[in-house]
Amino acid sequence: MAEKLITRIKEYRAKTDMTQERLAQLVGVRRETIVFVEQGKYVPSLRLANDIAKAFGVPIEELFIFKKAD
Amino acid sequence: MSKKTFERLRMVIAVALAGIVSISVVQQNFIIPIAAAVTAVVIMLGARKRVSEVIDDERDYKNAGDAARWTISIFAIGSAIMAMVFMALRASNSVFEILGQTLAYSACFVMLLQSALFSWFQKNGGKTDN
């Protein structure tokens, strides 16, 4: 069964007042990649997911949630 | 070097290379375009190292892989069909036979190369920066 990726990156960015550009710089990717990850259109590698979680100081499972598609 | 400067440089080099190749073809000189292409690659590699921003990342690599897979599939199937069509028409003109064979061998070569590289990557598996 297909699963949908839901991320809370946008929420955490708002909390920490961090721009997509800044997050992209911190984790070493292009801003567009952050946009796609935020929208759940791109499933990041374990390393990138870990780096993003580290940037916010939270565990990976706090940011990335897989939900079963209806 | 900023990403914007790098992109401008890439554009200038591409235009210059296209010009050099065009002139060389007209003058039937095949050494100059090869030398120009090698020089362009060296300049681009050098410039790439100086860019402080991220030029490409894991999403680009994934998309490049997907695009390559589709390209090979489309090329192989398209070439096979066209090769059969050309071979069927060979009685009308002998050029069709050469075209058909060229396409068929090209498709075989691309698939062989893809298989060899795929096997290599499978054996040395999963080594990635991402």
Side-chain angles (χ1 to χ4, degrees):
Chain A
M1 192 181 284
E3 288 186 320
K4 198 183 170 203
L5 173 67
I6 294 164
T7 74
R8 297 177 66 196
I9 297 173
K10 201 172 181 177
E11 188 187 320
Y12 272 88
R13 273 199 313 104
K15 269 186 197 172
T16 54
D17 201 23
M18 190 188 288
T19 62
Q20 290 176 332
E21 191 73 55
R22 179 72 191 129
L23 178 60
Q25 277 175 359
L26 282 174
V27 298
V29 295
R30 295 194 301 126
R31 192 186 66 82
E32 290 82 354
T33 301
I34 297 296
V35 173
F36 275 80
V37 173
E38 262 189 19
Q39 293 173 350
K41 288 180 181 172
Y42 173 66
V43 180
S45 67
L46 182 59
R47 175 172 286 187
L48 178 56
N50 186 53
D51 288 348
I52 294 171
K54 264 187 184 172
F56 293 116
V58 293
I60 293 180
E61 59 268 28
E62 182 75 20
L63 284 182
F64 301 96
I65 302 135
F66 281 98
K67 274 196 175 173
K68 278 178 186 171
D70 296 323
Chain B
M1 185 189 288
S2 72
K3 196 173 158 185
K4 211 169 185 176
T5 312
F6 175 76
E7 277 165 7
R8 276 186 196 149
L9 179 70
R10 184 161 61 182
M11 217 183 296
V12 169
I13 288 176
V15 171
L17 189 61
I20 291 169
V21 171
S22 309
I23 294 165
S24 304
V25 168
V26 171
Q27 293 183 343
Q28 292 199 326
N29 186 324
F30 301 104
I31 296 165
I32 293 171
I34 293 168
V38 172
T39 310
V41 169
V42 170
I43 293 170
M44 288 311 297
L45 287 175
R48 201 182 174 91
K49 281 183 183 169
R50 288 166 194 260
V51 180
S52 48
E53 296 162 61
V54 177
I55 300 171
D56 45 20
D57 59 28
E58 61 172 51
R59 197 170 65 88
D60 297 304
Y61 304 145
K62 191 210 168 268
N63 289 341
D66 289 346
R69 209 166 29 243
W70 275 100
T71 304
I72 288 168
S73 303
I74 292 166
F75 178 75
I77 295 167
S79 297
I81 293 168
M82 288 309 291
M84 281 192 284
V85 170
F86 285 137
M87 292 306 269
L89 294 170
R90 68 184 162 179
S92 61
N93 192 330
S94 60
V95 173
F96 286 130
E97 188 174 354
I98 299 164
L99 277 173
Q101 282 182 352
T102 307
L103 273 176
Y105 283 121
S106 300
C108 286
F109 175 73
V110 168
M111 286 191 287
L112 277 173
L113 185 63
Q114 198 268 346
S115 299
L117 288 173
F118 183 75
S119 301
W120 189 85
F121 281 116
Q122 287 285 67
K123 276 177 196 163
N124 296 278
K127 282 181 188 169
T128 168
D129 236 16
N130 302 315

